[in-house]
Amino acid sequence: MKILVTVKRVPDPEQKIKLKDDRIDLSAANWQLNQFDEYAVEAALRLTEDARNPATRLGEVTVVSLGPAEVQQQLRAALAMGADKAVRVDSRDEDLDADIVARTVEKLVRRDSPDLVLMGKLAADNEGNEVGQRLAGYLGWPQATFASIIEVVEGGKALLVGREVDAGVEMKKVRLPAVVTVDLRIVAPQAIKNGRTPPDHAYPEGPRYASLKGIMAAKKKPIEELTLAQLAIQPTLRVRTVSVRLPPPRKAGIKVSSVQELVDKLHNEAKVI
Amino acid sequence: MPVQMTTSLYALPPALEAQLLTQLPAGTLSFDPADLVLWGRDWTRVHPPAPAAVAWPRSAEEVSLLLRLCHEHRVPVVPSGGRTGLAGGAVAARGELVLSLSRMNQLGPIDTVAETVRVEAGAVTQAVHEHAARVGLSWPIDLASRGSCQIGGNIATNAGGVRVLRYGPTRHWVLGLEVVTAQGTLLQLGGALHKDNTGLDLRQLFIGSEGTLGVITAATLKLCKAPESMDVLLLQVADLPAVLRLLGAARQGPFSLLAFEYMARACIERVCQHRGLRHPLGGDRGGCYVLLEVERPAGGTQQVLAGWLEQVLSQGLVQDGVLATSQRQAQELWALREGISETLGTTGLPHKNDVALPLSALPAFVDALEALFAQRYPGWEVFTFGHVGDGNLHINVMKPPDMDPATFYQHTQQVDHDLFRLVARHGGSISAEHGIGLLKKAYLSYARSPAEIALMRAVKQALDPHGILNPGKIFD
């Protein structure tokens, strides 16, 4: 199976946001791989290996990112985990919106013809949750979002995808090629069944570490560099950020001395009960 | 011995109690048995806590008043920080008054030009880290107990921790101290000066004095720029000699070393089991482990590590390993190292030793140690780990399940004499960073000469003539 995985670098979500001139100041940002994209890479690797002998690849995983040269670091990290090759499309974050990203990935998909596009369900920076759906639309491919289970069925021609919904798990069958976006439980020990790894095999929870052999192998793996122009993408923003403001600081709380006083204040001042 | 709730075995002299209650604000003192147990002990469990009272003053003036009154009444005082010590230095087991600095936790503004900050002694170390990080600076003393321990305690014990290799101990990062003496005199020792050659540097006396010479109430800390791009690796290594060869190779690596931590495989196994964590290498495959933290040169990517790793792998110094590719993974790897003490303390009763050896003597020392332990602790569980980059080994001997604690402590104390003779023979220290406190004082003579100890006693006598400050700690 040939899988294309999109990855994005995001500022460390734990870091406090600073504003400068109505914009988020990212000059001191600590960049890392978007967590859901890291899960997508792990899912792609589990789909393309036999866990009893992971050194032998059963498919090919290409990781793709749009961003400046520094994104190489996140791509190398994915290669060190075990992805086979990488593509970087040169761009600056402020020149992109979800639509440009989706159209760029569409071009790559049409060029490389993967069987499956795996993506994180959203990126932790703007929590857009748009690119997967737009991409499936542009390609005219079936889509399954928020996947927590993926099972290869019908001899590799379709996927059974489990999605967590309020009432339980919804199972959907999508014919390949398809676009699947993953949720956090896709890295549970037995979330993925690829037909080659024994079904009772349990992976350690979470995405794998980069092993030393993986890091050294990553040095030799190719990263293809492209520009938006080479892919004939018109970088016209449909969504523009006008300004960014922090939410107003919360008012300080008060201490009450009795339950009676609490009830009184909730009723007469806050008027919530 | 297990800790039991103490009913007030001890009480303050009534006259002192009355003076304290009238002269200090309400809520400063507690005699509640639950408070006495909680505040009378540190992370050690050897001596049951039994203080007479706990006080939480809010200012250096209140500390001064407390000490003046206690001095007049000859009532012993145990200065108290986050109580995370491992040598019993903050234990109050004989009717002392515990003087907690916890309410004095103000953080002053950061001077970004001089790179200094003034903080009160009760400030939690992690709060100081976060305070400095907001302006891109760091107070580089970092310990597994950072969320509980306090600056005053760090200074009073000259704390070490995981970054000593790069930054040195606490002593290197303190510019000024505010100290209250046993008689209640308030001293300002040094300020924010990086240079001050005016007679004896009294401040250094109080750093590492374990609360026996004065009570630290505030400090001016020296800060530095926080490291920018750090990488954390967990490496599987055949044995300790290979660990030391790896250290040599790491010193030559294309990065600067921040931490070089050694862990016997049993440590990782126990932590994974206790905390339900996954083994980063997928499972134990023998040997021992090194947690390596490095700072890459500015602008370098993780690829600069690849060449070095290739070299150490091909030389056979490293058998396998992983590199954290995200902050999350780095924290997961650190959790394996930092979880060891808590895990051992929760899953059994450890007897702790904290020794330092010259690096060149370490392999021979460990061979002799293994022979000694095989003979004196046959079949017992022993966990070794530590800041090997500093020559510092933590040795934890676990109480066998069927042995009662008293017998266990008696036996370990006998073995400690043999152990410390071994340490002395290899030119080491019997307490690398935990201090002497209550637990190691019987062994001080293995580390210090009679002349040195006599000098220490003379200093103690000069500063605390009636011996009210942390009596029974370091020496009797």
Side-chain angles (χ1 to χ4, degrees), chain A residues 32 35 38 73 76-77 205 207-212 215-216 219, chain B residues 278 280 296 303 306 310 313 318 321-323 325 327-329 332-333:
Chain A
Q32 49 179 250
Q35 194 169 352
E38 200 182 350
Q73 182 157 343
R76 288 277 177 216
E205 174 103 31
R208 64 197 64 189
Y209 289 91
S211 72
L212 298 195
I215 296 161
M216 284 179 308
K219 244 183 16 173
Chain B
R278 59 174 168 156
R296 264 178 270 143
Q303 286 307 298
E310 203 155 15
L313 260 175
V318 166
V322 292
L323 166 70
T325 52
Q327 197 58 35
R328 267 186 315 282
Q329 287 188 346
E332 278 175 36
L333 292 182

PDB file of all heavy atoms in Angstrom, chain A residues 32 35 38 73 76-77 205 207-212 215-216 219, chain B residues 278 280 296 303 306 310 313 318 321-323 325 327-329 332-333:
ATOM      1  N   GLN A  32       7.093  21.999  16.892  1.00  0.00           N
ATOM      2  CA  GLN A  32       7.076  20.541  16.943  1.00  0.00           C
ATOM      3  C   GLN A  32       6.061  19.998  15.954  1.00  0.00           C
ATOM      4  O   GLN A  32       5.246  20.736  15.403  1.00  0.00           O
ATOM      5  CB  GLN A  32       6.777  20.060  18.363  1.00  0.00           C
ATOM      6  CG  GLN A  32       5.580  20.726  19.009  1.00  0.00           C
ATOM      7  CD  GLN A  32       5.331  20.182  20.401  1.00  0.00           C
ATOM      8  OE1 GLN A  32       4.353  19.491  20.595  1.00  0.00           O
ATOM      9  NE2 GLN A  32       6.199  20.477  21.361  1.00  0.00           N
ATOM     10  N   GLN A  35       0.631  16.878  16.875  1.00  0.00           N
ATOM     11  CA  GLN A  35       0.443  15.580  17.515  1.00  0.00           C
ATOM     12  C   GLN A  35      -0.394  14.618  16.665  1.00  0.00           C
ATOM     13  O   GLN A  35      -0.043  13.450  16.509  1.00  0.00           O
ATOM     14  CB  GLN A  35      -0.230  15.813  18.870  1.00  0.00           C
ATOM     15  CG  GLN A  35      -0.180  14.612  19.765  1.00  0.00           C
ATOM     16  CD  GLN A  35      -0.622  14.981  21.175  1.00  0.00           C
ATOM     17  OE1 GLN A  35      -0.826  16.160  21.493  1.00  0.00           O
ATOM     18  NE2 GLN A  35      -0.768  13.994  22.019  1.00  0.00           N
ATOM     19  N   GLU A  38       1.590  13.230  13.884  1.00  0.00           N
ATOM     20  CA  GLU A  38       2.514  12.203  14.366  1.00  0.00           C
ATOM     21  C   GLU A  38       1.750  10.874  14.479  1.00  0.00           C
ATOM     22  O   GLU A  38       2.279   9.814  14.138  1.00  0.00           O
ATOM     23  CB  GLU A  38       3.042  12.649  15.741  1.00  0.00           C
ATOM     24  CG  GLU A  38       4.317  11.991  16.165  1.00  0.00           C
ATOM     25  CD  GLU A  38       4.738  12.461  17.559  1.00  0.00           C
ATOM     26  OE1 GLU A  38       4.144  13.437  18.092  1.00  0.00           O
ATOM     27  OE2 GLU A  38       5.646  11.843  18.125  1.00  0.00           O
ATOM     28  N   GLN A  73      13.274  19.585   9.630  1.00  0.00           N
ATOM     29  CA  GLN A  73      13.514  18.916  10.900  1.00  0.00           C
ATOM     30  C   GLN A  73      12.362  17.975  11.268  1.00  0.00           C
ATOM     31  O   GLN A  73      12.583  16.849  11.700  1.00  0.00           O
ATOM     32  CB  GLN A  73      13.708  19.978  11.984  1.00  0.00           C
ATOM     33  CG  GLN A  73      14.003  19.347  13.317  1.00  0.00           C
ATOM     34  CD  GLN A  73      14.733  20.302  14.229  1.00  0.00           C
ATOM     35  OE1 GLN A  73      15.296  21.307  13.803  1.00  0.00           O
ATOM     36  NE2 GLN A  73      14.713  19.997  15.504  1.00  0.00           N
ATOM     37  N   ARG A  76      12.438  15.050   8.851  1.00  0.00           N
ATOM     38  CA  ARG A  76      13.484  14.072   9.215  1.00  0.00           C
ATOM     39  C   ARG A  76      13.021  13.229  10.406  1.00  0.00           C
ATOM     40  O   ARG A  76      13.333  12.037  10.490  1.00  0.00           O
ATOM     41  CB  ARG A  76      14.783  14.775   9.590  1.00  0.00           C
ATOM     42  CG  ARG A  76      15.529  15.395   8.438  1.00  0.00           C
ATOM     43  CD  ARG A  76      16.400  14.395   7.691  1.00  0.00           C
ATOM     44  NE  ARG A  76      17.035  15.065   6.556  1.00  0.00           N
ATOM     45  CZ  ARG A  76      17.267  14.510   5.377  1.00  0.00           C
ATOM     46  NH1 ARG A  76      16.937  13.247   5.176  1.00  0.00           N
ATOM     47  NH2 ARG A  76      17.820  15.178   4.409  1.00  0.00           N
ATOM     48  N   ALA A  77      12.311  13.867  11.325  1.00  0.00           N
ATOM     49  CA  ALA A  77      11.815  13.118  12.489  1.00  0.00           C
ATOM     50  C   ALA A  77      10.867  12.024  12.034  1.00  0.00           C
ATOM     51  O   ALA A  77      10.924  10.892  12.517  1.00  0.00           O
ATOM     52  CB  ALA A  77      11.126  14.061  13.482  1.00  0.00           C
ATOM     53  N   GLU A 205       1.465   1.649  23.374  1.00  0.00           N
ATOM     54  CA  GLU A 205       0.574   2.797  23.170  1.00  0.00           C
ATOM     55  C   GLU A 205       1.384   4.009  22.684  1.00  0.00           C
ATOM     56  O   GLU A 205       2.466   4.282  23.190  1.00  0.00           O
ATOM     57  CB  GLU A 205      -0.082   3.116  24.525  1.00  0.00           C
ATOM     58  CG  GLU A 205      -0.923   4.359  24.564  1.00  0.00           C
ATOM     59  CD  GLU A 205      -2.404   4.028  24.519  1.00  0.00           C
ATOM     60  OE1 GLU A 205      -2.784   2.964  25.031  1.00  0.00           O
ATOM     61  OE2 GLU A 205      -3.162   4.834  23.950  1.00  0.00           O
ATOM     62  N   PRO A 207       2.833   6.944  19.518  1.00  0.00           N
ATOM     63  CA  PRO A 207       3.732   6.878  18.365  1.00  0.00           C
ATOM     64  C   PRO A 207       5.106   6.382  18.789  1.00  0.00           C
ATOM     65  O   PRO A 207       5.533   6.602  19.920  1.00  0.00           O
ATOM     66  CB  PRO A 207       3.800   8.330  17.888  1.00  0.00           C
ATOM     67  CG  PRO A 207       3.378   9.157  19.033  1.00  0.00           C
ATOM     68  CD  PRO A 207       2.475   8.315  19.879  1.00  0.00           C
ATOM     69  N   ARG A 208       5.801   5.707  17.891  1.00  0.00           N
ATOM     70  CA  ARG A 208       7.108   5.139  18.220  1.00  0.00           C
ATOM     71  C   ARG A 208       8.176   6.232  18.325  1.00  0.00           C
ATOM     72  O   ARG A 208       8.018   7.321  17.774  1.00  0.00           O
ATOM     73  CB  ARG A 208       7.513   4.119  17.161  1.00  0.00           C
ATOM     74  CG  ARG A 208       7.727   4.703  15.774  1.00  0.00           C
ATOM     75  CD  ARG A 208       7.726   3.623  14.704  1.00  0.00           C
ATOM     76  NE  ARG A 208       6.426   2.964  14.626  1.00  0.00           N
ATOM     77  CZ  ARG A 208       6.203   1.865  13.888  1.00  0.00           C
ATOM     78  NH1 ARG A 208       7.179   1.316  13.187  1.00  0.00           N
ATOM     79  NH2 ARG A 208       5.012   1.321  13.859  1.00  0.00           N
ATOM     80  N   TYR A 209       9.231   5.905  19.036  1.00  0.00           N
ATOM     81  CA  TYR A 209      10.387   6.796  19.092  1.00  0.00           C
ATOM     82  C   TYR A 209      11.216   6.615  17.824  1.00  0.00           C
ATOM     83  O   TYR A 209      11.094   5.597  17.143  1.00  0.00           O
ATOM     84  CB  TYR A 209      11.293   6.437  20.270  1.00  0.00           C
ATOM     85  CG  TYR A 209      10.742   6.769  21.607  1.00  0.00           C
ATOM     86  CD1 TYR A 209       9.985   5.854  22.325  1.00  0.00           C
ATOM     87  CD2 TYR A 209      10.988   8.009  22.199  1.00  0.00           C
ATOM     88  CE1 TYR A 209       9.479   6.158  23.579  1.00  0.00           C
ATOM     89  CE2 TYR A 209      10.491   8.320  23.448  1.00  0.00           C
ATOM     90  CZ  TYR A 209       9.740   7.389  24.132  1.00  0.00           C
ATOM     91  OH  TYR A 209       9.254   7.696  25.370  1.00  0.00           O
ATOM     92  N   ALA A 210      12.071   7.587  17.553  1.00  0.00           N
ATOM     93  CA  ALA A 210      13.042   7.421  16.487  1.00  0.00           C
ATOM     94  C   ALA A 210      14.175   6.562  17.035  1.00  0.00           C
ATOM     95  O   ALA A 210      14.829   6.942  17.992  1.00  0.00           O
ATOM     96  CB  ALA A 210      13.567   8.780  16.050  1.00  0.00           C
ATOM     97  N   SER A 211      14.395   5.390  16.464  1.00  0.00           N
ATOM     98  CA  SER A 211      15.490   4.546  16.938  1.00  0.00           C
ATOM     99  C   SER A 211      16.799   5.049  16.340  1.00  0.00           C
ATOM    100  O   SER A 211      16.804   5.798  15.367  1.00  0.00           O
ATOM    101  CB  SER A 211      15.254   3.095  16.517  1.00  0.00           C
ATOM    102  OG  SER A 211      15.458   2.992  15.122  1.00  0.00           O
ATOM    103  N   LEU A 212      17.907   4.641  16.933  1.00  0.00           N
ATOM    104  CA  LEU A 212      19.203   5.097  16.411  1.00  0.00           C
ATOM    105  C   LEU A 212      19.384   4.684  14.959  1.00  0.00           C
ATOM    106  O   LEU A 212      19.854   5.453  14.133  1.00  0.00           O
ATOM    107  CB  LEU A 212      20.334   4.521  17.257  1.00  0.00           C
ATOM    108  CG  LEU A 212      20.347   4.949  18.725  1.00  0.00           C
ATOM    109  CD1 LEU A 212      21.685   4.620  19.338  1.00  0.00           C
ATOM    110  CD2 LEU A 212      20.047   6.430  18.875  1.00  0.00           C
ATOM    111  N   ILE A 215      17.355   6.933  12.838  1.00  0.00           N
ATOM    112  CA  ILE A 215      17.928   8.272  12.662  1.00  0.00           C
ATOM    113  C   ILE A 215      19.008   8.243  11.586  1.00  0.00           C
ATOM    114  O   ILE A 215      19.091   9.123  10.729  1.00  0.00           O
ATOM    115  CB  ILE A 215      18.531   8.766  13.991  1.00  0.00           C
ATOM    116  CG1 ILE A 215      17.437   8.922  15.035  1.00  0.00           C
ATOM    117  CG2 ILE A 215      19.263  10.093  13.797  1.00  0.00           C
ATOM    118  CD1 ILE A 215      17.967   8.946  16.454  1.00  0.00           C
ATOM    119  N   MET A 216      19.812   7.180  11.618  1.00  0.00           N
ATOM    120  CA  MET A 216      20.889   7.115  10.629  1.00  0.00           C
ATOM    121  C   MET A 216      20.353   6.823   9.249  1.00  0.00           C
ATOM    122  O   MET A 216      20.802   7.390   8.267  1.00  0.00           O
ATOM    123  CB  MET A 216      21.914   6.097  11.068  1.00  0.00           C
ATOM    124  CG  MET A 216      22.746   6.713  12.189  1.00  0.00           C
ATOM    125  SD  MET A 216      23.978   5.653  12.829  1.00  0.00           S
ATOM    126  CE  MET A 216      23.056   4.235  13.181  1.00  0.00           C
ATOM    127  N   LYS A 219      19.030   9.872   7.445  1.00  0.00           N
ATOM    128  CA  LYS A 219      20.006  10.765   6.816  1.00  0.00           C
ATOM    129  C   LYS A 219      20.070  10.535   5.304  1.00  0.00           C
ATOM    130  O   LYS A 219      20.327  11.443   4.531  1.00  0.00           O
ATOM    131  CB  LYS A 219      21.386  10.480   7.412  1.00  0.00           C
ATOM    132  CG  LYS A 219      21.934  11.658   8.170  1.00  0.00           C
ATOM    133  CD  LYS A 219      23.320  11.486   8.733  1.00  0.00           C
ATOM    134  CE  LYS A 219      24.196  10.372   8.245  1.00  0.00           C
ATOM    135  NZ  LYS A 219      25.564  10.484   8.791  1.00  0.00           N
TER     136      LYS A 219
ATOM    137  N   ARG B 278       5.446   2.669  28.932  1.00  0.00           N
ATOM    138  CA  ARG B 278       5.985   1.724  27.964  1.00  0.00           C
ATOM    139  C   ARG B 278       7.508   1.811  27.980  1.00  0.00           C
ATOM    140  O   ARG B 278       8.081   2.875  28.231  1.00  0.00           O
ATOM    141  CB  ARG B 278       5.466   2.035  26.575  1.00  0.00           C
ATOM    142  CG  ARG B 278       5.829   3.433  26.136  1.00  0.00           C
ATOM    143  CD  ARG B 278       5.418   3.647  24.695  1.00  0.00           C
ATOM    144  NE  ARG B 278       5.512   5.058  24.379  1.00  0.00           N
ATOM    145  CZ  ARG B 278       5.669   5.518  23.152  1.00  0.00           C
ATOM    146  NH1 ARG B 278       5.763   4.692  22.146  1.00  0.00           N
ATOM    147  NH2 ARG B 278       5.742   6.808  22.919  1.00  0.00           N
ATOM    148  N   PRO B 280      10.775   2.350  26.242  1.00  0.00           N
ATOM    149  CA  PRO B 280      11.026   3.040  24.968  1.00  0.00           C
ATOM    150  C   PRO B 280      11.673   2.152  23.906  1.00  0.00           C
ATOM    151  O   PRO B 280      11.509   2.402  22.726  1.00  0.00           O
ATOM    152  CB  PRO B 280      11.973   4.175  25.355  1.00  0.00           C
ATOM    153  CG  PRO B 280      11.833   4.319  26.828  1.00  0.00           C
ATOM    154  CD  PRO B 280      11.451   2.976  27.361  1.00  0.00           C
ATOM    155  N   ARG B 296      22.171  21.327  21.091  1.00  0.00           N
ATOM    156  CA  ARG B 296      22.740  21.403  19.743  1.00  0.00           C
ATOM    157  C   ARG B 296      23.308  22.791  19.503  1.00  0.00           C
ATOM    158  O   ARG B 296      22.818  23.762  20.059  1.00  0.00           O
ATOM    159  CB  ARG B 296      21.647  21.174  18.720  1.00  0.00           C
ATOM    160  CG  ARG B 296      21.527  19.783  18.213  1.00  0.00           C
ATOM    161  CD  ARG B 296      20.368  19.739  17.246  1.00  0.00           C
ATOM    162  NE  ARG B 296      19.127  19.430  17.916  1.00  0.00           N
ATOM    163  CZ  ARG B 296      17.952  19.956  17.596  1.00  0.00           C
ATOM    164  NH1 ARG B 296      17.856  20.845  16.635  1.00  0.00           N
ATOM    165  NH2 ARG B 296      16.874  19.600  18.232  1.00  0.00           N
ATOM    166  N   GLN B 303      20.000  16.212  12.768  1.00  0.00           N
ATOM    167  CA  GLN B 303      20.909  15.447  11.923  1.00  0.00           C
ATOM    168  C   GLN B 303      22.366  15.557  12.392  1.00  0.00           C
ATOM    169  O   GLN B 303      23.164  14.677  12.115  1.00  0.00           O
ATOM    170  CB  GLN B 303      20.782  15.886  10.470  1.00  0.00           C
ATOM    171  CG  GLN B 303      19.504  15.396   9.816  1.00  0.00           C
ATOM    172  CD  GLN B 303      19.312  13.895   9.968  1.00  0.00           C
ATOM    173  OE1 GLN B 303      20.112  13.106   9.496  1.00  0.00           O
ATOM    174  NE2 GLN B 303      18.250  13.485  10.646  1.00  0.00           N
ATOM    175  N   ALA B 306      23.201  12.591  14.154  1.00  0.00           N
ATOM    176  CA  ALA B 306      23.231  11.310  13.458  1.00  0.00           C
ATOM    177  C   ALA B 306      24.663  10.810  13.245  1.00  0.00           C
ATOM    178  O   ALA B 306      24.956   9.633  13.451  1.00  0.00           O
ATOM    179  CB  ALA B 306      22.491  11.416  12.129  1.00  0.00           C
ATOM    180  N   GLU B 310      26.226   7.398  14.746  1.00  0.00           N
ATOM    181  CA  GLU B 310      26.784   6.382  13.864  1.00  0.00           C
ATOM    182  C   GLU B 310      28.134   5.905  14.401  1.00  0.00           C
ATOM    183  O   GLU B 310      28.425   4.714  14.468  1.00  0.00           O
ATOM    184  CB  GLU B 310      26.960   6.994  12.464  1.00  0.00           C
ATOM    185  CG  GLU B 310      27.002   5.984  11.372  1.00  0.00           C
ATOM    186  CD  GLU B 310      26.558   6.585  10.035  1.00  0.00           C
ATOM    187  OE1 GLU B 310      26.497   7.841   9.912  1.00  0.00           O
ATOM    188  OE2 GLU B 310      26.278   5.810   9.129  1.00  0.00           O
ATOM    189  N   LEU B 313      27.763   3.895  17.680  1.00  0.00           N
ATOM    190  CA  LEU B 313      27.187   2.578  17.391  1.00  0.00           C
ATOM    191  C   LEU B 313      28.230   1.667  16.754  1.00  0.00           C
ATOM    192  O   LEU B 313      28.380   0.511  17.146  1.00  0.00           O
ATOM    193  CB  LEU B 313      26.011   2.718  16.430  1.00  0.00           C
ATOM    194  CG  LEU B 313      24.595   2.677  16.992  1.00  0.00           C
ATOM    195  CD1 LEU B 313      23.596   2.944  15.884  1.00  0.00           C
ATOM    196  CD2 LEU B 313      24.285   1.352  17.666  1.00  0.00           C
ATOM    197  N   VAL B 318      27.452   1.892  22.071  1.00  0.00           N
ATOM    198  CA  VAL B 318      26.008   1.897  22.274  1.00  0.00           C
ATOM    199  C   VAL B 318      25.428   0.717  21.526  1.00  0.00           C
ATOM    200  O   VAL B 318      25.866   0.405  20.415  1.00  0.00           O
ATOM    201  CB  VAL B 318      25.413   3.214  21.737  1.00  0.00           C
ATOM    202  CG1 VAL B 318      23.910   3.128  21.620  1.00  0.00           C
ATOM    203  CG2 VAL B 318      25.815   4.371  22.629  1.00  0.00           C
ATOM    204  N   GLY B 321      19.071   2.388  21.015  1.00  0.00           N
ATOM    205  CA  GLY B 321      18.613   3.595  21.702  1.00  0.00           C
ATOM    206  C   GLY B 321      17.531   4.301  20.932  1.00  0.00           C
ATOM    207  O   GLY B 321      17.173   3.891  19.825  1.00  0.00           O
ATOM    208  N   VAL B 322      17.014   5.342  21.561  1.00  0.00           N
ATOM    209  CA  VAL B 322      15.994   6.155  20.895  1.00  0.00           C
ATOM    210  C   VAL B 322      16.295   7.629  21.129  1.00  0.00           C
ATOM    211  O   VAL B 322      16.937   8.009  22.108  1.00  0.00           O
ATOM    212  CB  VAL B 322      14.567   5.849  21.417  1.00  0.00           C
ATOM    213  CG1 VAL B 322      14.133   4.463  21.012  1.00  0.00           C
ATOM    214  CG2 VAL B 322      14.473   6.044  22.924  1.00  0.00           C
ATOM    215  N   LEU B 323      15.807   8.434  20.192  1.00  0.00           N
ATOM    216  CA  LEU B 323      15.930   9.879  20.287  1.00  0.00           C
ATOM    217  C   LEU B 323      14.516  10.442  20.374  1.00  0.00           C
ATOM    218  O   LEU B 323      13.654  10.068  19.580  1.00  0.00           O
ATOM    219  CB  LEU B 323      16.636  10.418  19.044  1.00  0.00           C
ATOM    220  CG  LEU B 323      16.585  11.920  18.780  1.00  0.00           C
ATOM    221  CD1 LEU B 323      17.435  12.668  19.796  1.00  0.00           C
ATOM    222  CD2 LEU B 323      17.067  12.233  17.376  1.00  0.00           C
ATOM    223  N   THR B 325      11.722  12.831  19.528  1.00  0.00           N
ATOM    224  CA  THR B 325      11.535  13.757  18.419  1.00  0.00           C
ATOM    225  C   THR B 325      10.532  14.848  18.774  1.00  0.00           C
ATOM    226  O   THR B 325      10.211  15.685  17.961  1.00  0.00           O
ATOM    227  CB  THR B 325      11.049  13.023  17.148  1.00  0.00           C
ATOM    228  OG1 THR B 325       9.912  12.246  17.504  1.00  0.00           O
ATOM    229  CG2 THR B 325      12.128  12.133  16.592  1.00  0.00           C
ATOM    230  N   GLN B 327       8.807  17.283  22.316  1.00  0.00           N
ATOM    231  CA  GLN B 327       8.875  17.639  23.720  1.00  0.00           C
ATOM    232  C   GLN B 327       8.218  16.559  24.588  1.00  0.00           C
ATOM    233  O   GLN B 327       8.705  16.207  25.645  1.00  0.00           O
ATOM    234  CB  GLN B 327       8.153  18.985  23.894  1.00  0.00           C
ATOM    235  CG  GLN B 327       8.457  19.712  25.174  1.00  0.00           C
ATOM    236  CD  GLN B 327       9.931  19.984  25.323  1.00  0.00           C
ATOM    237  OE1 GLN B 327      10.631  20.234  24.341  1.00  0.00           O
ATOM    238  NE2 GLN B 327      10.420  19.895  26.541  1.00  0.00           N
ATOM    239  N   ARG B 328       7.105  16.037  24.069  1.00  0.00           N
ATOM    240  CA  ARG B 328       6.381  15.001  24.818  1.00  0.00           C
ATOM    241  C   ARG B 328       7.253  13.783  25.044  1.00  0.00           C
ATOM    242  O   ARG B 328       7.327  13.251  26.149  1.00  0.00           O
ATOM    243  CB  ARG B 328       5.157  14.543  24.011  1.00  0.00           C
ATOM    244  CG  ARG B 328       3.874  15.245  24.321  1.00  0.00           C
ATOM    245  CD  ARG B 328       2.711  14.593  23.573  1.00  0.00           C
ATOM    246  NE  ARG B 328       2.991  14.298  22.172  1.00  0.00           N
ATOM    247  CZ  ARG B 328       2.984  15.209  21.198  1.00  0.00           C
ATOM    248  NH1 ARG B 328       2.716  16.458  21.481  1.00  0.00           N
ATOM    249  NH2 ARG B 328       3.233  14.865  19.953  1.00  0.00           N
ATOM    250  N   GLN B 329       7.924  13.342  23.967  1.00  0.00           N
ATOM    251  CA  GLN B 329       8.762  12.159  24.113  1.00  0.00           C
ATOM    252  C   GLN B 329       9.944  12.447  25.039  1.00  0.00           C
ATOM    253  O   GLN B 329      10.338  11.593  25.828  1.00  0.00           O
ATOM    254  CB  GLN B 329       9.262  11.694  22.747  1.00  0.00           C
ATOM    255  CG  GLN B 329       8.173  11.033  21.915  1.00  0.00           C
ATOM    256  CD  GLN B 329       8.719  10.388  20.645  1.00  0.00           C
ATOM    257  OE1 GLN B 329       9.851  10.652  20.266  1.00  0.00           O
ATOM    258  NE2 GLN B 329       7.916   9.561  20.003  1.00  0.00           N
ATOM    259  N   GLU B 332       8.715  12.050  28.408  1.00  0.00           N
ATOM    260  CA  GLU B 332       8.512  10.627  28.728  1.00  0.00           C
ATOM    261  C   GLU B 332       9.836   9.964  29.106  1.00  0.00           C
ATOM    262  O   GLU B 332       9.894   9.163  30.033  1.00  0.00           O
ATOM    263  CB  GLU B 332       7.926   9.889  27.524  1.00  0.00           C
ATOM    264  CG  GLU B 332       6.422  10.030  27.360  1.00  0.00           C
ATOM    265  CD  GLU B 332       5.928   9.360  26.068  1.00  0.00           C
ATOM    266  OE1 GLU B 332       6.473   8.301  25.678  1.00  0.00           O
ATOM    267  OE2 GLU B 332       5.028   9.920  25.460  1.00  0.00           O
ATOM    268  N   LEU B 333      10.898  10.305  28.365  1.00  0.00           N
ATOM    269  CA  LEU B 333      12.198   9.696  28.671  1.00  0.00           C
ATOM    270  C   LEU B 333      12.698  10.179  30.030  1.00  0.00           C
ATOM    271  O   LEU B 333      13.191   9.395  30.846  1.00  0.00           O
ATOM    272  CB  LEU B 333      13.218  10.013  27.576  1.00  0.00           C
ATOM    273  CG  LEU B 333      12.962   9.372  26.209  1.00  0.00           C
ATOM    274  CD1 LEU B 333      14.077   9.734  25.239  1.00  0.00           C
ATOM    275  CD2 LEU B 333      12.852   7.852  26.332  1.00  0.00           C
TER     276      LEU B 333
END
